[in-house]
Amino acid sequence: FFQAQDGIRDPLWSRGLGDVYKRQSFPKAGTQKTVEVEDEKKYRVFYDKRLADEVDGELLGDEFKGYVFKITGGLDKQGFPMRQGILLPTRVRLLLDGTNGGFYPSRSGQRKRRSVRGCIISQEAAALNMIVLKKGEKEIPGLTDKYIPSRLGPKRASHIRKLWQLAKEEDVRSHVVRRKLEKPDKKGKPQFKAPKIQRLVTPVTRHRKRRLILLKHKRFEKGTKDRQEYEKKLLDLKHAKRIEQLKHRAEIAAVGKKAPATTAAPAVTTSTPAPATKTET
């Protein structure tokens, strides 16, 4: 979010959208410009509009005739930013975890309440951020009449092709945006610095990919072969164990057949009476 040129506005001297600062940007040219609006009739068109709404430039003045602006953000008098998704014109306190901005946690899982303003523009707004969607008839001085080249170019190979409209077979390494360093080398020649291209497909990367795929197939074949050998050994062990069990049972049955059948005779017990003894008187 962008603040006003002189910082946060004083609420005692600001009434409604008075002295509103509009921060306009033209992404195609890489330019930005801050415009101060003092006429209440001009900034009244922003009332009850939301973030991401489009505004006709003719409503802001004849110098913006034919332009179409898109609201991307804003600040209130105290400097609290507007937040998309809060359908209120007032300020609220939200419990933020740092995933969508507005709060930067110092540790994992930390959450805090922060004051943010809703996405509906009200009289409390002091600065609005907009981008140019459609260019009009006249040039806006300082915004559309100049071009600021990008200091850094795209880094991904597909983005470089898209920027320079290259075919898929063309080499993108010669189209990287290089920036000149202020300090020359030891021989006095100028130095340039280029980013490392991401997702660049070269013969080396193709060879590495083919090698990785080949190793993957070899691991799959080896694993299949080892599994088959293991299943075969396991089946042989089960078969051998089964044969040993049947052999053991057959030996037990053969021993039982060879043993003679014996019948036990009833036991006879005899007892003799004790001899009688004579007593003399």
Side-chain angles (χ1 to χ4, degrees), residues 6-200:
D6 58 349
I8 300 175
R9 303 291 294 174
D10 189 357
L12 298 178
W13 296 96
S14 297
R15 295 183 178 180
L17 272 173
D19 298 339
V20 171
Y21 287 94
K22 295 190 303 178
R23 186 64 176 260
Q24 299 172 342
S25 63
F26 192 41
K28 292 183 179 180
T31 55
Q32 294 179 354
K33 183 180 180 180
T34 303
V35 180
E36 184 177 357
V37 181
E38 297 180 357
D39 189 3
E40 184 181 359
K41 294 181 180 180
K42 292 183 179 180
Y43 60 71
R44 192 180 294 175
V45 298
F46 294 103
Y47 286 169
D48 296 333
K49 288 191 176 296
R50 303 179 183 178
L51 295 182
D53 283 353
E54 298 180 2
V55 180
D56 189 4
E58 190 175 0
L59 300 176
L60 305 176
D62 295 337
E63 63 272 18
F64 303 115
K65 186 176 181 180
Y67 282 86
V68 177
F69 301 105
K70 181 180 179 181
I71 305 173
T72 58
L75 299 170
D76 61 2
K77 301 173 186 177
Q78 288 75 31
F80 291 99
M82 300 176 66
R83 194 179 182 92
Q84 183 66 278
I86 305 174
L87 303 179
L88 292 173
T90 58
R91 192 189 306 164
V92 295
R93 289 179 60 84
L94 298 180
L95 188 63
L96 305 178
D97 57 358
T99 55
N100 296 323
F103 168 64
Y104 301 96
S106 59
R107 65 178 185 273
S108 178
Q110 184 182 9
R111 298 185 298 173
K112 279 192 176 182
R113 289 197 177 273
R114 289 288 184 266
S115 295
V116 293
R117 183 159 291 276
C119 66
I120 301 177
I121 299 174
S122 65
Q123 297 180 357
E124 299 295 326
L128 297 177
N129 304 328
M130 298 186 295
I131 61 174
V132 179
L133 292 182
K134 183 181 177 182
K135 189 177 179 182
E137 302 173 357
K138 301 179 182 179
E139 298 285 350
I140 301 177
L143 187 66
T144 60
D145 58 348
K146 63 179 182 179
Y147 175 76
I148 299 178
S150 178
R151 177 177 170 270
L152 300 176
K155 194 174 182 181
R156 191 181 299 178
S158 59
H159 293 174
I160 297 173
R161 291 192 186 94
K162 184 179 180 181
L163 176 64
W164 301 105
Q165 298 180 359
L166 302 176
K168 192 175 182 180
E169 298 78 14
E170 296 185 52
D171 190 6
V172 299
R173 286 174 288 187
S174 59
H175 294 79
V176 180
V177 177
R178 303 174 185 271
R179 60 185 180 92
K180 186 178 180 180
L181 302 180
E182 297 180 358
K183 186 178 179 180
D185 59 0
K186 296 180 180 180
K187 297 182 180 180
K189 296 182 179 180
Q191 290 183 332
F192 295 89
K193 192 171 184 181
K196 181 182 178 182
I197 303 175
Q198 303 295 324
R199 303 185 186 180
L200 179 64

Side-chain angles (χ1 to χ4, degrees), residues 233-249:
K233 289 182 179 180
L234 190 63
L235 187 62
D236 293 342
L237 288 175
K238 288 183 179 180
H239 186 62
K241 188 175 181 180
R242 180 63 178 170
I243 292 175
E244 187 177 354
Q245 289 178 354
L246 294 176
K247 186 177 179 181
H248 184 64
R249 290 179 183 178

